[in-house]
Amino acid sequence: MPLKTIDDFNIQQLHILDETGIVDKDLEPDLSDDDLKKLFQAMTLSRMADARMLNLQRQGRIGTIPVNKGQEAASCAPILALKETDWFVGSYRELGARLMRGETLENSLLLFNGWEEGNVNENNDRTLPISIVLASQLPQAVGLAYASRYMKEKDTVVLTMFGDGATSEGDFHEALNFAAVLNAPVIFLCQNNQYAISTPLKIQTKSSTIAQKAIAYGIPGIQVDGNDALAVYQAVKEAVDRARADEGPTLIEAVTFRMLMHTTADDPSRYRSDDEVAVWEAKDPLIRFKKYLTDKGIWDEKSQERLEADCKQQIDDAVQAFESRKPFAADAPFDYVFGTREPLIEAQREKFLAKLEKEGDHGED
């Protein structure tokens, strides 16, 4: 029996704004001026908040944080395609997306300083808390999507985000397989920022794209320029439309770059060169999107000055609110080991407090 081709596959790549901010008019999405400005405002707030949080961490005022600089388009643009009634299931490097979903900046400050209250989004209970364990949120996203149809929510979709490192986890493959066979309305958005901590993509996978992994599961897959806010929005919008029409899940690979460290506990100079960073600095998502807005005649330097002043005030207010909270007692974690107090735990508490007292620091006030 001769060899024969039983199917053909291909993966497309989408760009709408080039690296200088020039738009492809044939592909330009139909977004209102207000939505475009809303997106740029969110990207700018995310960038400025990220910088402030990095300073706070270096001053010892918050704990270890993952930084977002460079990935604002990939994380903010998808939210424009969602409704408030949709679910957002994120990882830990989507500050802009969370702010657009109504989460406060104070939440992030609390969370990265050990306050569990930082996990609660009081403005949208369909935004799940940050997921630190790679890919663990993806099966949950599929479950939410499947359940939404089971509960007769015919218009609900789920957007889940993750990094390139997550695609080497079993949960990623199990989630895509379940989503495909259950026809679950899920959009899987991978922020391919080129490094899984210090591991470059080229030694993490032999695949030339992450998007092509969709082929194995029989679902649509596309690669987009992750620093092009319009391309990211358009790809997600089309995936959302398919999901709402019960046409199943989509995998989107947003190719971007983490401009700074993985977390503040990392030193990227040990595994990547300044030349590589410089190449991506020229592709900055904020600079090219600002150029696009300016060319459309809906943005100017005065708009920029007002925006930056407003963002600074929002950040100042959030930091002040966060730092005005009374610190929790040093032995508070012992309260939450069990629902009731247990002798062994209480003995450990006493030993812990005695040690603090001996060191001359009760950990309060």
Side-chain angles (χ1 to χ4, degrees):
M1 179 179 290
L3 287 172
K4 62 179 182 181
T5 300
I6 58 174
D7 212 338
D8 291 311
F9 306 104
N10 66 76
I11 290 293
Q12 293 185 315
Q13 186 182 60
L14 178 63
H15 297 262
I16 298 179
L17 277 183
D18 72 14
E19 294 178 10
T20 65
I22 303 300
V23 66
D24 184 328
K25 286 290 184 182
D26 293 334
L27 297 176
E28 187 177 14
D30 183 21
L31 284 168
S32 69
D33 290 351
D34 285 345
D35 276 343
L36 290 171
K37 286 188 278 190
K38 175 183 174 183
L39 176 55
F40 184 64
Q41 288 161 356
M43 292 166 63
T44 303
L45 177 59
S46 174
R47 174 71 62 91
M48 292 178 65
D50 199 50
R52 182 68 173 275
M53 289 174 68
L54 179 57
N55 287 340
L56 291 173
Q57 195 280 331
R58 293 310 195 213
Q59 294 165 3
R61 294 160 69 183
I62 59 173
T64 301
I65 59 167
V67 284
N68 300 261
K69 184 180 180 182
Q71 299 183 215
E72 295 86 355
S75 62
C76 293
I79 305 303
L80 268 188
L82 296 186
K83 298 179 180 179
E84 286 191 10
T85 49
D86 293 326
W87 290 89
F88 175 70
V89 183
S91 182
Y92 51 77
R93 205 184 303 281
E94 306 102 11
L95 175 61
R98 292 185 174 280
L99 294 174
M100 289 186 73
R101 290 284 290 180
E103 210 168 278
T104 66
L105 179 58
E106 186 184 355
N107 263 36
S108 290
L109 297 170
L110 289 168
L111 181 69
F112 291 115
N113 218 35
W115 294 71
E116 62 178 336
E117 290 84 346
N119 280 312
V120 180
N121 183 351
E122 294 180 346
N123 296 319
N124 190 320
D125 58 8
R126 292 198 166 193
T127 299
L128 264 57
I130 281 176
S131 178
I132 300 293
V133 180
L134 292 190
S136 62
Q137 76 276 24
L138 304 186
Q140 297 170 4
V142 178
L144 286 167
Y146 181 66
S148 71
R149 291 298 182 268
Y150 186 78
M151 299 296 289
K152 310 300 182 188
E153 292 186 13
K154 296 182 178 180
D155 197 42
T156 300
V157 304
V158 180
L159 170 68
T160 185
M161 291 188 186
F162 48 96
D164 45 286
T167 65
S168 292
E169 297 286 342
D171 277 348
F172 167 78
H173 297 279
E174 291 160 10
L176 261 67
N177 189 54
F178 269 113
V181 297
L182 295 174
N183 204 42
V186 190
I187 298 90
F188 296 93
L189 193 145
C190 175
Q191 293 195 64
N192 173 10
N193 68 13
Q194 313 299 319
Y195 286 89
I197 307 182
S198 58
T199 303
L201 188 67
K202 63 183 179 184
I203 65 171
Q204 185 195 165
T205 178
K206 192 71 173 177
S207 302
S208 58
T209 71
I210 287 173
Q212 72 195 67
K213 296 177 189 290
I215 294 171
Y217 300 102
I219 64 175
I222 187 170
Q223 185 183 78
V224 300
D225 180 345
N227 285 11
D228 172 355
L230 297 183
V232 175
Y233 166 79
Q234 186 62 31
V236 174
K237 179 67 168 59
E238 292 175 7
V240 165
D241 290 345
R242 282 195 296 274
R244 291 202 202 284
D246 284 335
E247 295 176 12
T250 300
L251 173 62
I252 299 170
E253 176 189 4
V255 180
T256 181
F257 192 74
R258 165 167 53 80
M259 296 301 298
L260 298 173
M261 61 289 287
H262 172 69
T263 70
T264 47
D266 173 42
D267 176 9
S269 68
R270 297 172 67 88
Y271 54 82
R272 68 185 193 188
S273 68
D274 290 343
D275 290 343
E276 182 181 4
V277 176
V279 168
W280 283 92
E281 282 177 343
K283 304 176 183 179
D284 191 304
L286 269 74
I287 293 174
R288 72 166 80 169
F289 199 55
K290 179 184 173 185
K291 170 77 164 48
Y292 165 67
L293 298 182
T294 303
D295 289 348
K296 282 181 72 72
I298 61 173
W299 202 255
D300 57 27
E301 286 308 313
K302 287 188 176 178
S303 306
Q304 187 71 25
E305 290 172 7
R306 286 195 295 270
L307 171 61
E308 292 180 7
D310 180 62
C311 289
K312 182 180 182 305
Q313 188 62 56
Q314 289 186 56
I315 295 166
D316 287 347
D317 291 345
V319 172
Q320 184 177 24
F322 156 66
E323 293 193 323
S324 66
R325 292 200 177 214
K326 184 179 179 181
F328 49 78
D331 63 331
F334 291 89
D335 293 335
Y336 302 101
V337 178
F338 295 113
T340 56
R341 293 196 169 195
E342 298 293 327
L344 179 60
I345 301 299
E346 291 307 303
Q348 292 176 352
R349 182 203 297 266
E350 293 304 318
K351 186 176 180 181
F352 171 72
L353 291 174
K355 184 173 184 295
L356 286 185
E357 185 174 8
K358 185 177 180 180
E359 293 174 352
D361 178 7
H362 289 275
E364 296 183 29
D365 296 332

